[in-house]
Amino acid sequence: MSECPIEQPAGDAVRPPLRLAGGSPFSNDEHRQHGMLLGRFEAADDPSMGSLLYAAVVTQPTAELTDSGWLDRLEAITRLEARLQALKAEAIAGLDDAMQGVSADLGHRQPELGDRAAAPGERRWIAGDLRSVSDEVGLVLGMHRGAATTRIHNSCELVHNFPATLRALADGDLTERAAFSIVSELSVIDEPDERRAAEDAVLRWARKYPLHRIKKEAQREAARRCPSGVDKAHKKATEERSVRMVPSEFGTADLIHNQDAVDAAAVMTSLSRAATRLRRQGDPRTFDQLRADIALDRLLPRTKRADNSENPAPATDAPMDAEAPQDTPASAETAVGAEATVGAEATVIIHATAAELRALLEDHPSTGGEAEGLGPIPQNSLRKHLTKTLARALLPELSTRDTEAPGTLKPTRLAAAAIRLRIIDQPPPSNPDRYVPSGALASHVRWRDQLCRFPGCNRPAEFTDIDHRTAYTAGGRTTAANLHCLCRHHHRLKHEGNWSTTRNPDGSHTWTSPTGRRYREEPPDCWIHGSP
């Protein structure tokens, strides 16, 4: 593959363009003769799939480009990206078609006579091996298995059932997002002729209007031609409603509540009106801040002692491994402010190493550990929430005392969650020669791993199996270093799908797929810091 070096400009110098090895197939005079516009390298029926345009973009001199020239260059790059997305969709669909086998998602452990062929994205049995197209595609594309499954399904739909949309994408007339919007909205139309007519109508609309509204146009076209299909799709989407947390940045996260659109609009209107009232009363927070704070205050329960006792019993984790006794020592988990809550318990688990906690107590700079399901949090965030929880636990009267000066506006009161700390770099004593790990060791491994250890999997460790990396029958011992968490799906892939794993000197592990591709699994934080 040719190298494309990037030269860094000095000061205010114009950045030189990326250049292919071997130079440009076009002279500067050719570029200048046509005003340096790239449209002339487009062909109505281009058998080279844009190779001329690609070469022109990569070798285009940019020192004399004006605003129009830069926009022309940006548009050309966008068209090239669209063509690559069409090729990617064809590659994904081609892989799914090539891996022919019977479905492994029919509810029984092994294939049986009469099993149907696997649908796009489904697991399948091929020559006795359990294969997961979603995992293999997801690892190549750098996405989770669920997202890869959706991508495979949409790619197969696009290639097999929407040829006109695929062609428009390959020609650079649609973006990838626009093409998949057409696929997702018009797939509810079962009758092929009606689906093709709807597709042609939407593509005609796309030639006239900006693509950012193409999803709504496809929805309207589907509703006109197949109301029953739209109703069926809406019912399915409503049944799959969910609440998800997506880590964003700097110790924050997006809470995504997927719900019926009318109900979601009602919630948003209620939040906006409540925010408007506070703004009129002089609250200095922005509308976005107010809506976020009001929503959080409504969602978190009011923490009360259900039995009015002075010393409620600390909350404990439910047993996760039926085969292992729950003999977790009290020293392995510190419950801070774990009060009984009327309605539901609002608890956040913080995973930290002993060094991180020591730094917090001694007021030394350090990381703040990880919030379960969220990821790393800064030290000041951990300190703030621990202080708040300790104040609620030790001085509950402060939470109800009005400390504001008379006549001042009190901000919306936010409910606080109980915080639990879990020390992840101190495995408990355990017999390494027994096959089933003790309850204490199993709990420690789950706390340490937090997620399934298959690369890219985000299944919480709470719902996984405890697996020996080196099989017990092959001499592997039942120790923290040789145990890891695998969700049931990836546990089966390891033992029935011809995947293998080997440990690297830095504590990480490399997974090898049935095709021989290798993917490195990041080690837990406590291993990175030298305490397996």
Side-chain angles (χ1 to χ4, degrees):
M1 179 179 294
S2 301
E3 296 292 335
C4 297
I6 302 178
E7 300 177 19
Q8 297 297 329
D12 296 331
V14 177
R15 180 187 61 81
L18 299 174
R19 293 199 179 274
L20 289 174
S24 170
F26 312 104
S27 67
N28 287 346
D29 289 340
E30 286 181 295
H31 281 291
R32 293 191 181 94
Q33 180 182 358
H34 293 268
M36 289 189 236
L37 298 179
L38 299 169
R40 71 190 185 94
F41 298 110
E42 289 273 64
D45 186 12
D46 183 8
S48 66
M49 289 297 292
S51 60
L52 287 178
L53 179 60
Y54 172 76
V57 167
V58 171
T59 61
Q60 182 187 28
T62 59
E64 300 178 21
L65 286 182
T66 62
D67 51 357
S68 178
W70 281 110
L71 288 173
D72 177 62
R73 180 176 176 84
L74 180 61
E75 183 180 27
I77 293 171
T78 302
R79 295 178 74 85
L80 289 171
E81 287 177 335
R83 289 172 175 173
L84 287 175
Q85 295 301 337
L87 293 174
K88 183 185 289 186
E90 290 179 329
I92 292 172
L95 171 67
D96 193 87
D97 293 343
M99 293 177 62
Q100 298 180 9
V102 299
S103 174
D105 291 336
L106 300 178
H108 41 261
R109 178 82 186 204
Q110 296 294 335
E112 298 178 0
L113 290 176
D115 285 350
R116 61 170 173 79
E122 282 190 322
R123 296 179 300 177
R124 58 203 66 187
W125 292 102
I126 302 177
D129 286 338
L130 178 65
R131 298 292 294 272
S132 172
V133 187
S134 298
D135 280 294
E136 299 188 41
V137 169
L139 287 169
V140 170
L141 298 184
M143 59 176 58
H144 293 304
R145 181 165 64 98
T149 300
T150 301
R151 184 61 176 262
I152 293 168
H153 177 78
N154 289 339
S155 296
C156 290
E157 279 284 317
L158 175 64
V159 171
H160 298 314
N161 296 328
F162 292 87
T165 301
L166 177 64
R167 181 61 190 175
L169 180 63
D171 289 342
D173 296 332
L174 294 177
T175 62
E176 178 197 30
R177 182 175 181 179
F180 282 141
S181 292
I182 293 175
V183 170
S184 63
E185 299 301 333
L186 299 187
S187 292
V188 301
I189 305 175
D190 294 326
E191 208 284 314
D193 291 338
E194 282 293 319
R195 186 171 60 242
R196 281 192 292 270
E199 179 186 19
D200 291 341
V202 174
L203 291 176
R204 286 196 302 271
W205 180 93
R207 296 187 189 102
K208 300 178 183 178
Y209 304 105
L211 295 179
H212 61 269
R213 294 182 60 87
I214 196 170
K215 185 177 183 70
K216 288 188 176 180
E217 179 60 25
Q219 288 173 341
R220 285 193 289 263
E221 195 65 33
R224 283 195 294 265
R225 296 178 181 274
C226 188
S228 61
V230 173
D231 289 341
K232 182 179 179 181
H234 174 264
K235 181 179 179 181
K236 179 181 178 183
T238 303
E239 290 173 349
E240 295 174 351
R241 61 192 179 275
S242 63
V243 177
R244 304 188 308 279
M245 183 177 66
V246 180
S248 50
E249 56 187 9
F250 306 122
T252 63
D254 296 324
L255 191 64
I256 302 174
H257 183 189
N258 181 267
Q259 191 56 266
D260 179 272
V262 175
D263 292 334
V267 171
M268 195 65 178
T269 300
S270 176
L271 294 174
S272 297
R273 288 177 176 174
T276 300
R277 285 195 296 270
L278 289 176
R279 289 280 291 179
R280 287 174 179 172
Q281 295 171 12
D283 195 300
R285 287 172 287 179
T286 66
F287 269 111
D288 282 340
Q289 290 172 338
L290 283 167
R291 281 192 287 253
D293 290 348
I294 294 166
L296 185 61
D297 196 37
R298 292 178 179 180
L299 288 171
L300 281 178
R302 303 302 184 193
T303 310
K304 299 178 181 178
R305 304 191 196 283
D307 57 359
N308 294 320
S309 62
E310 293 294 331
N311 299 300
T316 58
D317 292 335
M320 298 313 305
D321 190 342
E323 297 180 354
Q326 297 299 303
D327 53 357
T328 305
S331 61
E333 177 179 334
T334 303
V336 183
E339 301 171 321
T341 302
V342 176
E345 181 185 7
T347 304
V348 177
I349 308 298
I350 304 295
H351 300 266
T353 63
E356 289 170 329
L357 295 179
R358 190 179 305 112
L360 180 66
L361 294 173
E362 297 176 355
D363 199 24
H364 294 157
S366 179
T367 54
E370 290 197 8
E372 189 168 273
L374 170 63
I377 60 173
Q379 188 184 50
N380 63 344
S381 175
L382 176 60
R383 181 182 293 110
K384 178 185 73 173
H385 291 292
L386 280 178
T387 302
K388 185 187 300 182
T389 305
L390 284 169
R392 290 172 54 250
L394 302 178
L395 302 170
E397 69 277 3
L398 291 182
S399 64
T400 57
R401 183 182 302 169
D402 186 358
T403 58
E404 300 290 337
T408 60
L409 179 68
K410 292 176 61 178
T412 304
R413 184 180 69 81
L414 297 181
I419 302 294
R420 291 187 192 170
L421 293 177
R422 288 176 173 171
I423 314 250
I424 61 174
D425 58 346
Q426 296 179 356
S430 181
N431 182 359
D433 296 322
R434 60 182 287 184
Y435 174 70
V436 178
S438 67
L441 182 58
S443 295
H444 169 79
V445 171
R446 287 197 171 93
W447 297 346
R448 180 200 68 196
D449 288 355
Q450 300 185 46
L451 301 172
C452 169
R453 298 307 300 172
F454 188 87
C457 184
N458 59 356
R459 180 75 169 175
E462 180 181 5
F463 309 108
T464 62
D465 300 333
I466 302 294
D467 175 61
H468 289 76
R469 287 190 181 271
T470 300
Y472 185 81
T473 55
R477 310 191 78 195
T478 306
T479 62
N482 192 46
L483 297 177
H484 64 161
C485 293
L486 288 180
C487 68
R488 184 59 54 86
H489 165 72
H490 289 121
H491 198 176
R492 290 189 66 194
L493 275 189
K494 178 174 180 267
H495 292 288
E496 302 176 34
N498 200 23
W499 285 78
S500 61
T501 176
T502 55
R503 181 166 182 172
N504 303 312
D506 64 354
S508 66
H509 286 77
T510 297
W511 286 76
T512 304
S513 77
T515 63
R517 294 178 176 272
R518 296 183 177 182
Y519 305 95
R520 179 168 292 217
E521 164 207 339
E522 182 183 6
D525 280 349
C526 60
W527 288 9
I528 295 175
H529 293 98
S531 301

